[in-house]
Amino acid sequence: MQCPGNSESNLMMRWMPDAWPVFFHKRGLRTIQQNAIPLILKGESVFLTAPTASGKTEAAMAPLYQRHISFKHDHLSVLYVAPTKALVNDIYYRLSDYLGCGKEFSGICRYTGDHHDFKEPQGAFALIATPEALDSLQLRHPQKLEYIRAIVVDEVHFIHGKARGEQLRYVINRVRSKSKSPQNPKDIFQVVAMSATLNDMESVGRLWAGNQVKYVTAEDPREIEMDYLPVPEGKIQQHTTEIAAAIRNYVENKQLEKVLIFANTRNDAHCLGFVLHEAFKGTRWPVYLHFGILETKVRDEIESDLKTKRYGICVCTSTLELGIDIGDIEAIMLLSPPPSVSSFLQRIGRGSRRSEICKVVTLVRNDNERIIYEALLNLARHGKLEPVHEYSRPSVIFQQILSHAWNGLRKEIPLTMKNLAAKTGGQDLSEVVNGMLKEGHLKMNHGALIPSDRLIELGDRSVIHTVIAGDGAKPVYDGVTGDLIASIGEGADNGLYFLGGTLRRIASAEKNSYVLEQVEPNSPRLIGKIPTARGGRGISRTLVWKIAEMTGHNPRVWSWTNDRLVTWGGWVNNLLLKFLIEQHGYGTVSSFDAFALEGIGINKKDKINPDAISALVRNTGIHLSLQEAEKFREPSRFYQYLSPNLKTKESESAIPIPEFTWWLNECLIETELTDNIEQGKTTMAEKEDHYGGKMRHAPS
């Protein structure tokens, strides 16, 4: 990456006399740092987008450290919010290395559900926390955050468009509203948001960092090298033995030391980890399995081993997708194509962090899967990402109100309609409050808003500070040590489980927990199934369009083959199209995927085309039943408590109508251009100019 010359380095050294030797001793500035640091030093709110391992953390924290020193802060002045506990730990250790190591001043603290290093704000510089932990801390101890002058939000793309992102923005607003006025008017309250991959940077930046936000983008992503590893066609869990053998052969032939393997589902990850554990037995490579159901201590041990040991094979889900430094991973393997370009970039960015090249090995079952990988690679190289639908969720507002009502009850400073706006940072939340009163989740007692007994119990169990939907998981304990290993849902079977580095089986299943025991070497190797939550969505329209272009089709043209309608719409758009077709009596869709809808009937061609559907939307709008609209909604913890009208409001808001109408309009433009060419009104050159000089292939 480009580094500034000596004169630029000398200038930065003068601007940051305290921070420069701490963060950049014997190191040059990277592009993102060179461009962002002057803005943050001036007190600007900034939105940073850059590839993984590009130095965003130092770009934000070095100038904020200098401001902390320059303005002579003697209290905590910076909040650093990361979306996962693992990333909090990683940032905590990285900043501690910079500011600790025998120096007089460190002042780095962390606050998660597992680590409460933060006690008092005096003498602290930065606190690293998850959104949920920060919500709880600000609610219970707002005075500890009174001197905050900057908030850094890392990996914004991971929570943008999700309930957790909306929750965090409420918390940031609360922190800002309670922050004391500074002694120096130049000590401006700042928000620095950072992301590795994100579409529509400008609107997202304004949402997270305010209308005056400044944008900084690094234009030098690492090169991507992709290798293909053929594996048997069919379901992953039916061919894990062959897949494991192919992986071992590849690792040994390439003499790799550390490899990270991403799976799309928990059971795919568990099944592969189980078989790889057997396949690599007796070799130099220990096999690890890292996913969200593991207990914190187990995950921490795996991350530590990956960082410190020379050899290792780790199978994981999206839990290691974020910017965690787990050592120099030589190669990333993808068990299946990820569902989005953003996820693809995040996963491959975990590997070869100290190199200018991302090396990724894709496990390929057939030509179609190879094309998907090639499309992902093409989109990633050109920075073409999926749009994200952001919408308001009454269920998040419910969580905010409940937290304040419970806290007010326990502190005997009750929440009231009069002080609601002050406690929630000036937000008008009365619609949801009235819904909670109507449904009996709140009751008015001499002006105080008191939660129901059920919700008070949830508050006392400290489970009201998250909007993540619960899945009824039960704790899993080691039958010998009694240690907590993991949490899995109802319905675990009698097979074997690869958890905590060893094979185990369920010794007993109580009402509220499981107890595991280790198995004998000659035990039957039947792999247990992990109960899973709600299934994910199919691939996006952005990815589908690239696949269409790479296979010689025009994705803007809908085509019929018998009763199969190929739309290239992506999973979400085709789901919405299915509901509109059925709602207006045009037929019954027997099945659909990201590419096509089946079983409609070819006699409906005149009613099911971009022009007709677009006119239908313009004339009647989109009105789905609650059951249909809920298909688009992201699960959130308190949705079930909402009144019927608020459930409808949240679910209808979740329908990505802007993306759907944009898609229809693009298809209409294609139809109009084609019709005009046929009528001699538009030339082929003009059509090519509309698409940026590159014609799409006609459908085969």
Side-chain angles (χ1 to χ4, degrees):
M1 292 190 178
Q2 179 183 359
C3 295
N6 290 334
S7 61
E8 293 167 318
S9 296
N10 291 335
L11 183 61
M12 290 289 185
M13 290 171 67
R14 292 199 301 271
W15 285 351
M16 299 192 299
D18 302 289
W20 181 270
V22 171
F23 287 91
F24 300 108
H25 179 59
K26 295 182 179 180
R27 299 169 61 188
L29 289 174
R30 296 186 175 190
T31 304
I32 194 75
Q33 297 161 352
Q34 182 183 355
N35 296 333
I37 285 174
L39 294 172
I40 298 173
L41 279 173
K42 292 177 184 178
E44 302 281 6
S45 289
V46 177
F47 190 77
L48 307 177
T49 56
T52 57
S54 59
K56 294 189 296 295
T57 298
E58 292 80 3
M61 296 305 287
L64 292 177
Y65 176 69
Q66 185 61 56
R67 287 176 65 84
H68 179 88
I69 299 297
S70 298
F71 287 116
K72 299 180 180 179
H73 290 301
D74 56 5
H75 287 73
L76 178 75
S77 68
V78 175
L79 290 174
Y80 192 114
V81 188
T84 67
K85 296 175 183 177
L87 186 53
V88 167
N89 292 338
D90 182 65
I91 298 298
Y92 170 75
Y93 290 121
R94 286 173 60 191
L95 293 179
S96 296
D97 285 344
Y98 282 126
L99 294 165
C101 300
K103 300 180 177 67
E104 292 183 3
F105 176 80
S106 175
I108 302 297
C109 315
R110 61 181 163 174
Y111 198 83
T112 68
D114 306 317
H115 300 284
H116 291 177
D117 300 336
F118 179 59
K119 302 300 180 184
E120 295 297 333
Q122 288 84 358
F125 158 53
L127 172 67
I128 306 100
T130 58
E132 293 75 20
L134 181 60
D135 191 333
S136 174
L137 177 63
Q138 197 283 330
L139 181 74
R140 296 167 186 257
H141 306 288
Q143 73 283 356
K144 292 186 177 183
L145 306 178
E146 288 179 336
Y147 295 91
I148 294 298
R149 304 309 303 148
I151 298 179
V152 179
V153 185
D154 202 355
E155 306 286 7
V156 165
H157 69 279
F158 194 78
I159 53 177
H160 178 67
K162 295 182 171 60
R164 296 183 72 208
E166 185 174 354
Q167 176 192 11
L168 178 56
R169 291 195 296 274
Y170 279 117
V171 178
I172 291 173
N173 192 54
R174 283 159 37 192
V175 172
R176 186 199 298 265
S177 69
K178 298 296 182 183
S179 179
K180 287 188 173 182
S181 298
Q183 294 181 351
N184 189 322
K186 293 183 179 180
D187 191 7
I188 301 167
F189 192 99
Q190 300 169 263
V191 176
V192 179
M194 306 190 297
S195 177
T197 55
L198 204 56
N199 195 41
D200 193 13
M201 179 174 162
E202 291 191 3
S203 65
V204 178
R206 288 193 298 270
L207 180 65
W208 281 95
N211 291 330
Q212 304 304 314
V213 63
K214 306 297 182 183
Y215 299 92
V216 179
T217 302
E219 301 292 347
D220 49 359
R222 294 191 292 164
E223 180 55 45
I224 304 169
E225 286 186 1
M226 183 180 286
D227 198 2
Y228 298 98
L229 179 61
V231 294
E233 188 167 2
K235 293 184 178 180
I236 290 171
Q237 294 172 40
Q238 295 176 348
H239 296 283
T240 44
T241 300
E242 298 97 317
I243 293 172
I247 291 172
R248 175 170 173 172
N249 288 337
Y250 188 92
V251 169
E252 291 179 335
N253 290 337
K254 297 291 184 179
Q255 297 183 334
L256 301 176
E257 294 182 354
K258 274 195 256 187
V259 177
L260 197 59
I261 306 172
F262 281 99
N264 287 344
T265 71
R266 289 177 181 175
N267 272 304
D268 283 350
H270 177 247
C271 194
L272 181 60
F274 184 108
V275 179
L276 281 175
H277 172 72
E278 303 282 279
F280 278 93
K281 188 175 292 183
T283 72
R284 69 186 68 177
W285 292 276
V287 173
Y288 305 95
L289 176 62
H290 189 292
F291 48 6
I293 68 171
L294 294 178
E295 195 270 332
T296 302
K297 181 181 178 182
V298 178
R299 291 200 310 270
D300 288 349
E301 289 173 352
I302 293 171
E303 292 161 23
S304 176
D305 280 358
L306 288 172
K307 184 178 292 188
T308 58
K309 292 185 177 181
R310 181 175 176 181
Y311 296 95
I313 309 292
C314 181
V315 185
C316 64
T317 55
S318 59
T319 52
L320 289 181
E321 201 172 278
L322 297 186
I324 307 165
D325 186 359
I326 49 175
D328 196 12
I329 302 295
E330 291 180 282
I332 298 296
M333 289 188 173
L334 303 181
L335 181 59
S336 303
S340 70
V341 185
S342 177
S343 181
F344 175 75
L345 282 169
Q346 284 299 118
R347 293 180 183 187
I348 67 175
R350 299 304 98 229
S352 308
R353 289 172 64 90
R354 295 164 181 83
S355 167
E356 295 301 312
I357 300 175
C358 294
K359 297 179 180 178
V360 57
V361 181
T362 58
L363 277 64
V364 180
R365 289 152 193 83
N366 50 48
D367 289 341
N368 288 337
E369 204 161 79
R370 179 186 287 265
I371 290 169
I372 295 175
Y373 280 124
E374 290 175 352
L376 285 166
L377 179 61
N378 183 287
L379 292 167
R381 283 175 169 166
H382 291 87
K384 181 68 174 177
L385 307 176
E386 294 85 0
V388 176
H389 180 53
E390 180 63 79
Y391 60 96
S392 178
R393 301 163 179 82
S395 60
V396 175
I397 300 174
F398 186 107
Q399 179 267 333
Q400 293 288 295
I401 295 167
L402 170 59
S403 297
H404 284 285
W406 174 84
N407 189 59
L409 175 67
R410 288 298 179 237
K411 288 190 174 180
E412 299 183 356
I413 309 175
L415 180 69
T416 67
M417 295 298 288
K418 291 183 178 180
N419 66 21
L420 175 63
K423 287 182 178 293
T424 57
Q427 304 290 314
D428 180 12
L429 311 181
S430 57
E431 181 183 16
V432 178
V433 170
N434 291 332
M436 295 172 73
L437 288 167
K438 183 178 179 181
E439 296 296 313
H441 302 310
L442 288 177
K443 57 184 176 182
M444 190 79 74
N445 188 355
H446 300 290
L449 295 168
I450 308 298
S452 67
D453 292 344
R454 167 63 177 155
L455 294 179
I456 290 174
E457 178 190 356
L458 294 181
D460 291 341
R461 288 167 44 201
S462 296
V463 294
I464 61 171
H465 305 297
T466 178
V467 294
I468 300 173
D471 57 3
K474 300 197 303 187
V476 179
Y477 295 98
D478 186 305
V480 177
T481 66
D483 292 339
L484 179 63
I485 302 170
S487 296
I488 58 179
E490 294 280 359
D493 59 29
N494 293 323
L496 302 188
Y497 293 87
F498 178 53
L499 299 172
T502 60
L503 298 184
R504 312 166 189 256
R505 69 157 53 90
I506 296 176
S508 64
E510 305 296 335
K511 179 180 180 182
N512 297 315
S513 66
Y514 296 107
V515 176
L516 297 185
E517 63 181 5
Q518 295 192 17
V519 299
E520 298 297 327
N522 57 354
S523 298
R525 284 338 200 214
L526 178 64
I527 303 174
K529 292 286 186 181
I530 296 176
T532 56
R534 171 177 165 176
R537 299 178 177 184
I539 60 179
S540 68
R541 194 254 332 142
T542 302
L543 180 53
V544 168
W545 275 33
K546 179 53 63 177
I547 292 170
E549 293 172 0
M550 294 178 68
T551 54
H553 296 84
N554 185 340
R556 291 173 172 82
V557 175
W558 296 9
S559 60
W560 290 81
T561 303
N562 297 325
D563 63 352
R564 174 180 168 84
L565 172 61
V566 178
T567 66
W568 309 101
W571 192 90
V572 172
N573 285 332
N574 278 350
L575 174 61
L576 183 49
L577 180 60
K578 160 184 156 59
F579 287 146
L580 291 176
I581 288 171
E582 295 177 341
Q583 185 182 95
H584 291 275
Y586 296 160
T588 300
V589 178
S590 60
S591 64
F592 80 99
D593 58 22
F595 299 88
L597 298 90
E598 304 248 11
I600 305 166
I602 197 168
N603 60 326
K604 302 295 183 181
K605 278 187 178 182
D606 58 329
K607 295 184 180 295
I608 307 176
N609 55 62
D611 186 42
I613 298 298
S614 183
L616 182 70
V617 172
R618 286 196 309 271
N619 295 332
T620 67
I622 295 177
H623 306 285
L624 304 185
S625 68
L626 178 58
Q627 184 178 10
E628 291 170 336
E630 284 182 329
K631 298 292 185 182
F632 301 92
R633 181 187 63 82
E634 175 205 9
S636 56
R637 182 175 291 268
F638 294 101
Y639 176 82
Q640 60 180 314
Y641 294 97
L642 294 178
S643 62
N645 65 308
L646 288 177
K647 283 183 177 178
T648 299
K649 183 175 183 179
E650 178 162 334
S651 295
E652 288 182 345
S653 297
I655 303 170
I657 295 176
E659 158 69 8
F660 185 74
T661 54
W662 183 93
W663 170 54
L664 291 177
N665 288 336
E666 283 293 298
C667 295
L668 281 174
I669 290 172
E670 172 68 28
T671 302
E672 291 170 1
L673 288 171
T674 302
D675 289 346
N676 286 339
I677 287 174
E678 292 175 354
Q679 298 171 18
K681 297 177 182 179
T682 301
T683 67
M684 289 296 291
E686 289 172 328
K687 184 176 181 182
E688 288 183 5
D689 183 64
H690 173 77
Y691 291 128
K694 180 182 178 182
M695 271 294 295
R696 271 66 175 173
H697 294 287
S700 59

